[in-house]
Structure formats: structure tokens, C-alpha cells
Amino acid sequence: MKKETNKQPKQTPVEGSPEALQARIKQLEMENEYLKKLNALVQTKETSPKKTK
């Protein structure tokens, strides 16, 4: 049997509210960092000398 917890479900902030805008900014910042790291990784792989066996 599962124990029931009294946690309140996360409420989605109303679109356009300061909380929703802050959440969107955080999401976009994380996406931007991810894409920068991915780009750096791709650039590193393209410039590294290819090894042959």
C-alpha cells in the first residue's frame, strides 16, 4: 500500500505573471547554456586530428 503524502501539487503560474516569466527566463538560460556546450563540443571534435587505426 502506498503512503499518501500531503504535498500540494505544483501549480502552474499564470501566463504573463512575474513567476511565469522568471520560470521562462530560467528555462531559456538553461537551454542557451546547453546549446553553447554542444556547440563547443562539436567545434572541438571538428578541429581535432582524426586518428586512424
Side-chain angles (χ1 to χ4, degrees):
M1 215 182 256
K2 293 182 180 180
K3 289 185 178 181
E4 291 186 29
T5 58
N6 291 335
K7 291 183 181 178
Q8 293 180 351
K10 287 186 178 181
Q11 294 180 349
T12 308
V14 178
E15 188 175 333
S17 70
E19 294 84 13
L21 295 174
Q22 288 291 340
R24 181 69 174 145
I25 289 170
K26 186 167 182 74
Q27 178 187 6
L28 292 171
E29 287 174 340
M30 289 189 297
E31 184 178 333
N32 192 20
E33 287 299 314
Y34 173 81
L35 292 172
K36 283 181 182 179
K37 289 180 182 180
L38 179 62
N39 188 32
L41 181 63
V42 169
Q43 292 295 323
T44 302
K45 288 204 178 244
E46 286 179 354
T47 59
S48 65
K50 298 189 182 217
K51 295 181 181 178
T52 58
K53 290 185 178 182

